[in-house]
Amino acid sequence: RKEVVFTNLRKSFPSKSEREIENIAKQYYQNLCDLLVENIKLLTISKGEVQKRFSYKNQAVFHETFNLGSDMIVPIGHCGNWEMAALSAGFELPQQGISFYRQQTTHHFNKLIKRIRGRFGLQLVADDKTRKLFKHQVDKPRMILFPGDQTPSNTEAAHWMEFLNQDTPVHKGTERIAKLINAPVYFG
């Protein structure tokens, strides 16, 4: 893993010195450790503690969309603690929070992820069940979280772009689903 990190940093920041690359890697590993500890805490954290650490800004947008009876789509990326963002979506907003996830090969790890993310009401849908979710009408508007950290499983159908000096596949599903269900997209 260490070599992958350094290789990617060198490709992404070719003008940085080796010392600067080492500093970036050190910051990355410190952040990763913080996230791991925080995510372990998510097993037992209270709603009040989540609210102290994470909040949605401009909630009026969520309430307006909810009052119009419309679903909304919120693409989220790896910025801050995305797991805490998903956890708080289960109780912080008026919409039913739904998030997609990629099933893990280890049954116990898959179960743990679902337990953490679903603690406060977030509905989890395996990414291979996405289409099924949108085939039927629902009575209550939903906030659909699209985690943007996954590499598309079908890279041939992906949109390719240069990101950090590297060719990178990107999901194209967000805009397709927004059009399909006539939902606005808000970036989180």
Side-chain angles (χ1 to χ4, degrees), residues 56-67:
Y56 286 90
K57 297 201 185 232
N58 197 10
Q59 288 194 22
V61 171
F62 296 103
H63 290 277
E64 288 169 16
T65 306
F66 178 78
N67 291 336

Side-chain angles (χ1 to χ4, degrees), residues 139-156:
D139 297 333
K140 185 177 174 187
R142 305 167 290 188
M143 178 179 66
I144 303 153
L145 302 172
F146 274 80
D149 65 317
Q150 304 290 332
T151 298
S153 53
N154 181 359
T155 56
E156 290 179 22

Side-chain angles (χ1 to χ4, degrees), residues 123-137:
Q123 180 184 342
L124 295 163
V125 177
D127 59 1
D128 61 344
K129 306 279 190 273
T130 305
R131 288 191 180 161
K132 187 176 181 181
L133 177 73
F134 299 111
K135 286 188 177 178
H136 55 81
Q137 287 295 104

Side-chain angles (χ1 to χ4, degrees), residues 152 154-162 167-172 175:
N154 181 359
T155 56
E156 290 179 22
H159 171 75
W160 284 84
M161 61 182 284
E162 187 174 303
D167 288 335
T168 305
V170 179
H171 286 281
K172 294 193 299 189
E175 68 275 11

Side-chain angles (χ1 to χ4, degrees), residues 18-80:
E18 196 58 28
R19 183 179 177 99
E20 289 173 307
I21 295 291
E22 288 172 7
N23 284 334
I24 294 170
K26 182 179 178 182
Q27 290 171 17
Y28 162 76
Y29 281 115
Q30 286 173 336
N31 183 61
L32 183 62
C33 288
D34 288 347
L35 285 172
L36 288 172
V37 170
E38 286 177 2
N39 288 343
I40 291 168
K41 178 64 179 167
L42 293 181
L43 285 164
T44 60
I45 197 168
S46 69
K47 286 181 184 179
E49 288 296 314
V50 171
Q51 288 173 315
K52 281 185 199 175
R53 291 170 171 79
F54 186 90
S55 65
Y56 286 90
K57 297 201 185 232
N58 197 10
Q59 288 194 22
V61 171
F62 296 103
H63 290 277
E64 288 169 16
T65 306
F66 178 78
N67 291 336
L68 291 171
S70 176
D71 287 338
M72 65 188 309
I73 294 177
V74 181
I76 57 174
H78 278 196
C79 183

Side-chain angles (χ1 to χ4, degrees), residues 74-100:
V74 181
I76 57 174
H78 278 196
C79 183
N81 190 326
W82 60 94
E83 294 291 346
M84 197 171 297
L87 188 69
S88 68
F91 67 86
E92 189 76 22
L93 302 168
Q95 291 89 340
Q96 165 65 54
I98 297 172
S99 183
F100 303 108

